[in-house]
Amino acid sequence: MPAEIISGTKVAASIREELKEKVTEIKAKKGITPGLAMVRVGEDPGSVSYVSAKSKASEQLGIHSQTIVYPIDATEAEVLAKVEELNRDPKFHGILVQLPLPKHIDSDKILNTIDPRKDVDGFHPVNVGRLLIGEPYFMPCTPHGVQELLIRSGNSPEGKHVVICGRSNIVGKPVMAILMQKKKGANATVTVVHTGTKDMASITRQADILIAAMGRPKAITADMVKEGVVVIDVGVNQVGTTAEGKRILVGDSDFEGIKEKAKAITPVPGGVGPMTVTMLMANTVRAADMQSA
Ligand code: NAP
């Protein structure tokens, strides 16, 4: 039987409905409006479009958001000073600095200046460490989205063998840290594979749940998974452009081949992608809640 297609668009929409209610509740009970400040430097088209999507999502949920835009030649000191000012500003519960920053600005220095309690991207080393010990202020958005997709599609990772393909700091490692915790919605046996892994297919074939996060178009093929696997495909790879100039995107797994064998699989686009912005909104609401406790 062909796999169930896990729609990230649908799951994200239902989480946003819950968040809308939570925002209304925070406004009524605590008299505050969750606030998100975003800092963008330069006019990189990707950054412009990501920040605008985050700003639109905030507006739809009743979250106050403001984008501070600097020209490409802004100095590191200027951006640092702004982050420090935002750390002190009680109107903003979450702060996000859109990456990539221009080369003359040290991204780590900027990100490490954000107050960990306002670090809604979850990239600050304090949050990375807290995630590992199971006490996160915030979980990074895409990895948290992966966990929510599994839970809400009825494929809880508890007791399962999860194989994660990729060990980046923004996807592979945090997904590992989330899913291996002794907690509800986690408690999985986790294996992480990467370019140093020998005979990767022999490991991916053992996966009850396979998370693909390599940035390699269709690298996971049907012969590399077992019957009944659940595949969460984080990869987003542009493989061409349509005649109308639209980007053609594929994931890291061969969707067409695997869907005949899998129990469930996420599509690309429409799988993990819509979850990322939604989990950022969830973190902003959590930040407001935490800071007004
Ligand atoms: P990354 O930093 O390039 O890391 C890729 C990881 O995959 C590395 O650990 C690398 O191993 C491993 N890898 C690459 N090729 C491999 C192969 N042939 N066999 C085994 N392992 C391999 O990428 P990333 O930032 O984690 O992103 C991964 C994908 O997710 C990209 O397509 C990205 O666009 C997408 N993404 C999507 C979202 C979303 O919201 N949907 C968010 C973030 C990222 P080594 O460590 O050994 O080099």
Side-chain angles (χ1 to χ4, degrees):
M1 209 172 62
E4 177 204 338
I5 310 301
I6 303 174
S7 166
T9 312
K10 280 194 188 149
V11 174
S14 81
I15 295 176
R16 287 188 194 201
E17 282 310 311
E18 292 166 20
L19 288 172
K20 232 189 239 174
E21 281 176 28
K22 183 83 186 155
V23 170
T24 309
E25 188 189 311
I26 290 178
K27 283 180 181 170
K29 287 199 179 147
K30 300 188 169 180
I32 58 160
T33 300
L36 173 65
M38 292 181 279
V39 177
R40 170 162 70 74
V41 183
E43 298 298 323
D44 169 68
S47 297
V48 171
S49 122
Y50 290 138
V51 168
S52 130
K54 291 164 188 174
S55 157
K56 212 166 117 195
S58 304
E59 198 183 316
Q60 282 164 357
L61 300 186
I63 293 172
H64 164 66
S65 87
Q66 189 181 330
T67 306
I68 300 109
V69 181
Y70 285 100
I72 189 82
D73 57 357
T75 65
E76 185 176 282
E78 270 177 286
V79 180
L80 271 179
K82 176 51 80 178
V83 170
E84 279 161 0
E85 180 194 316
L86 293 169
N87 279 343
R88 292 188 300 268
D89 189 337
K91 281 197 306 302
F92 296 111
H93 308 94
I95 302 171
L96 177 150
V97 177
Q98 185 63 45
L99 301 177
L101 290 171
K103 286 201 170 58
H104 65 276
I105 299 181
D106 181 346
S107 306
D108 284 344
K109 200 165 165 186
I110 302 289
L111 296 182
N112 295 354
T113 304
I114 298 174
D115 179 341
R117 286 172 185 268
K118 293 193 175 189
D119 169 41
V120 281
D121 256 341
F123 292 154
H124 191 288
V126 165
N127 279 320
V128 176
R130 293 190 68 103
L131 184 71
L132 201 61
I133 61 169
E135 292 172 14
Y137 289 140
F138 307 106
M139 293 200 237
C141 304
T142 302
H144 190 189
V146 167
Q147 185 191 31
E148 285 294 326
L149 274 179
L150 286 170
I151 296 171
R152 288 172 186 253
S153 65
N155 295 294
S156 168
E158 288 173 56
K160 300 282 166 50
H161 183 194
V162 176
V163 175
I164 302 169
C165 304
R167 58 174 162 193
S168 73
N169 290 337
I170 63 164
V171 188
K173 282 182 199 160
V175 170
M176 174 206 73
I178 291 170
L179 297 185
M180 71 187 292
Q181 298 297 329
K182 194 170 181 177
K183 284 188 178 177
K184 208 165 173 293
N187 216 17
T189 301
V190 181
T191 304
V192 182
V193 299
H194 43 72
T195 60
T197 303
K198 292 207 171 70
D199 192 7
M200 188 168 112
S202 70
I203 299 168
T204 56
R205 276 189 213 111
Q206 296 173 36
D208 301 314
I209 295 173
L210 185 132
I211 319 271
M214 298 180 293
R216 296 284 177 270
K218 300 188 182 185
I220 305 292
T221 48
D223 60 313
M224 294 170 73
V225 296
K226 72 176 178 190
E227 200 78 41
V229 67
V230 173
V231 176
I232 304 292
D233 193 340
V234 185
V236 181
N237 308 288
Q238 183 173 356
V239 289
T241 315
T242 63
E244 299 79 43
K246 268 186 78 178
R247 300 188 307 150
I248 303 171
L249 301 176
V250 300
D252 285 355
S253 66
D254 176 21
F255 181 84
E256 290 304 325
I258 292 177
K259 83 175 194 313
E260 300 306 321
K261 212 171 169 185
K263 172 175 181 265
I265 185 167
T266 57
V268 177
V272 176
M275 295 297 288
T276 299
V277 173
T278 300
M279 299 327 290
L280 174 73
M281 297 298 114
N283 279 350
T284 305
V285 172
R286 179 175 158 82
D289 214 11
M290 259 171 32
Q291 285 159 45
S292 56

